[in-house]
Amino acid sequence: MIVKPRIRGFICTTAHPTGCAAHVAEQIDWVKGSPDLAKEGFKNVLVLGCSGGYGLSSRIVAAFGAGANTLGVSFEKAPSETKTASAGWYNNKALETEAAQQGLYAKTIDGDAFSDAVREEVIETIRQDLGEIDLIVYSLASPVRTNPVTGEVHRSSIKPLGEVLDIKTVHVEKGEVSNVSLEPATQQEASDTVKVMGGEDWEIWIDALLEAEVLSPGVKTVAYTYIGSELTWPIYWEGTLGLAKADLDRASQAIAEKLTPLEGDARVAVLKAIVSQASAAIPVVPLYAALLFRVMKDQGTHEQCIEHIHRLFATQLEAGCEMRLDESGRIRLDDLELADAVQQEVKERWPVVTTENLSELGDLAGFRLDFLKIFGFGLEGVDYDAEVDPMRLGTE
Ligand code: NAD
């Protein structure tokens, strides 16, 4: 079949097998062209949420930058003869194929990371294949979680807290800047979001791995968060998602204590805004990101997802490196996004940006290209008019 992007709101329902492989290869090549990381502390790496966005980049940096064995967990849709897989399914295959060619261990377990069954499968795989894990990256972003203890289904909401929020946003496909009115979350919606995107599941994972005695001395775990600019605080940091992320901070301290006997550590890392399946769904963020990307590109400080994660590993996670922590003990990698020179400029543009001047003040084109690339479209060197088999990457 010939695969074209089919965009519905903030998701694309098709994914291009060859394009996804090219997107993964582009990131692998970037890492291979950067200085190698020390192997110590990155021998066996578990990535929860490994198939896209920050989790995929983390796995690529661990594997191709430090030569790590990687075990990944994701929740992706397999292809059929008539339908493409989800992008993450192709990304996993592409990563595994490339790793195998370089003699690197890379296995992916596709299933619900919130379930005990997947946890047990992961532990069994570690026992059989790796022995122990020395880094766990927690990079799940999900709209729903079934509580493994109660069986209750929790759905996350992306809403403000307290009162109705009137705020600027952009319709990414149409490029129209407008004001939206966002209803505040109910108490239930707020607590459900904490259940899905907070730290409870991260804690359950570490408890299970500890109990199974599959963590190495000095083990580290890192979970990703976003704080961002005051411009997005009303919908993010001060909204339901911020509440969930505050719970991640709580969990980080609880986990760090549990890891003390192993001389291990648990940290939340604050990362920059990028385009991912998860972030594209947040109102306001695409407009902020379009302005941010323009300013950071003009100032020469813009980082792609892979560059950002490589900096995290090289400067904050590598053994013996000097960590830059904030007053809450979080790793701050959002320093470039939050630099005064960047934020001042973005804040000046925010009140004056309109549909008409967005292409001048912002980088909506860059945002759109990053969005397409998530699904394997818009990559150089890929023939998008060629027939592809949705069941295969085309590189196997
Ligand atoms: P993403 O949508 O690109 O990736 C999410 C991953 O989670 C995928 O691998 C997906 O398969 C997996 N996943 C979802 N539900 C699952 C389930 N039930 N079981 C197993 N796997 C599941 O998301 P992302 O933007 O890379 O976000 C990852 C983390 O980084 C989140 O905690 C997010 O808050 C944080 N973060 C994102 C940004 C950003 O701008 N995108 C910025 C800072 C921090």
Side-chain angles (χ1 to χ4, degrees), residues 49 51 53-54 75-76 111-113 139 141 224-225 245 272 274 276 278:
S51 58
Y54 277 132
F75 205 26
E76 298 297 340
D112 183 3
S139 189
Y224 297 150
T225 198
K245 293 301 191 183
K272 81 181 281 266
I274 52 148
S276 73

Side-chain angles (χ1 to χ4, degrees), residues 31-351:
V31 169
K32 283 197 200 151
S34 309
D36 283 349
L37 298 162
K39 206 168 166 54
E40 196 195 337
F42 303 131
K43 283 194 189 77
N44 298 319
V45 176
L46 170 63
V47 182
L48 302 168
C50 66
S51 58
Y54 277 132
L56 174 61
S57 293
S58 303
R59 190 177 192 186
I60 290 174
V61 170
F64 300 94
N69 301 315
T70 59
L71 178 59
V73 179
S74 64
F75 205 26
E76 298 297 340
K77 195 168 68 61
S80 69
E81 295 292 342
T82 54
K83 262 191 155 171
T84 63
S86 56
W89 192 90
Y90 294 125
N91 292 342
N92 289 338
K93 291 279 169 264
L95 186 138
E96 286 163 10
T97 306
E98 192 61 34
Q101 276 166 11
Q102 305 206 11
L104 289 171
Y105 173 98
K107 201 179 247 184
T108 310
I109 292 170
D110 225 4
D112 183 3
F114 299 127
S115 70
D116 288 337
V118 164
R119 254 185 292 274
E120 279 156 24
E121 198 181 336
V122 166
I123 288 168
E124 209 33 56
T125 308
I126 297 170
R127 284 200 176 117
Q128 277 179 16
D129 299 353
L130 303 169
E132 48 187 27
I133 292 290
D134 46 23
L135 174 67
I136 304 120
V137 175
Y138 190 87
S139 189
L140 295 177
S142 171
V144 61
R145 169 177 172 232
T146 303
N147 190 313
V149 181
T150 62
E152 230 180 307
V153 177
H154 303 284
R155 284 180 201 287
S156 65
S157 309
I158 306 171
K159 291 190 172 181
L161 294 173
E163 36 191 78
V164 175
L165 172 67
D166 281 304
I167 193 163
K168 241 178 183 176
T169 193
V170 66
H171 188 293
V172 175
E173 261 185 286
K174 295 183 185 157
E176 283 170 10
V177 177
S178 63
N179 264 53
V180 278
S181 197
L182 303 166
E183 288 296 318
T186 62
Q187 199 69 40
Q188 186 64 43
E189 286 172 328
S191 66
D192 275 339
T193 308
V194 174
K195 283 284 178 194
V196 182
M197 287 299 288
E200 188 177 82
D201 179 65
W202 185 24
E203 268 188 285
I204 295 177
W205 265 101
I206 304 299
D207 284 346
L209 296 165
L210 268 171
E211 200 186 308
E213 299 183 355
V214 291
L215 297 180
S216 68
V219 63
K220 285 183 187 173
T221 181
V222 63
Y224 297 150
T225 198
Y226 182 66
I227 294 178
S229 153
E230 287 141 59
L231 294 170
T232 59
W233 282 1
I235 187 62
Y236 198 98
W237 190 241
E238 293 172 347
T240 47
L241 284 173
L243 215 54
K245 293 301 191 183
D247 187 62
L248 207 59
D249 289 333
R250 174 204 57 75
S252 145
Q253 288 178 17
I255 294 170
E257 265 174 47
K258 292 178 192 180
L259 294 179
T260 311
L262 287 173
E263 294 185 25
D265 198 12
R267 296 281 165 190
V268 164
V270 190
L271 305 182
K272 81 181 281 266
I274 52 148
V275 186
S276 73
Q277 289 199 46
S279 70
I282 306 173
V284 188
V285 166
L287 181 60
Y288 167 75
L291 296 180
L292 178 77
F293 293 176
R294 174 77 284 134
V295 171
M296 292 186 83
K297 283 177 185 175
D298 288 349
Q299 294 187 6
T301 56
H302 186 74
E303 288 169 312
Q304 295 292 347
C305 186
I306 192 74
E307 300 170 54
H308 195 58
I309 291 296
H310 190 273
R311 182 157 71 94
L312 172 72
F313 274 63
T315 69
Q316 300 296 296
L317 297 180
E318 215 178 51
C321 61
E322 202 175 305
M323 293 172 86
R324 274 188 306 107
L325 306 176
D326 67 13
E327 67 293 344
S328 303
R330 307 182 197 100
I331 298 170
R332 297 305 293 252
L333 219 71
D334 56 349
D335 50 339
L336 299 178
E337 171 176 347
L338 296 189
D340 286 344
V342 170
Q343 285 302 317
Q344 255 172 29
E345 192 55 47
V346 176
K347 282 177 192 161
E348 272 173 34
R349 295 178 188 205
W350 183 262

Side-chain angles (χ1 to χ4, degrees), residues 331-373:
I331 298 170
R332 297 305 293 252
L333 219 71
D334 56 349
D335 50 339
L336 299 178
E337 171 176 347
L338 296 189
D340 286 344
V342 170
Q343 285 302 317
Q344 255 172 29
E345 192 55 47
V346 176
K347 282 177 192 161
E348 272 173 34
R349 295 178 188 205
W350 183 262
V352 293
V353 67
T354 59
T355 307
E356 290 69 37
N357 64 19
L358 177 58
S359 57
E360 182 195 326
L361 297 184
D363 183 26
L364 188 64
F367 186 98
R368 283 180 177 146
L369 180 61
D370 285 358
F371 180 78
L372 281 175
K373 283 172 87 170

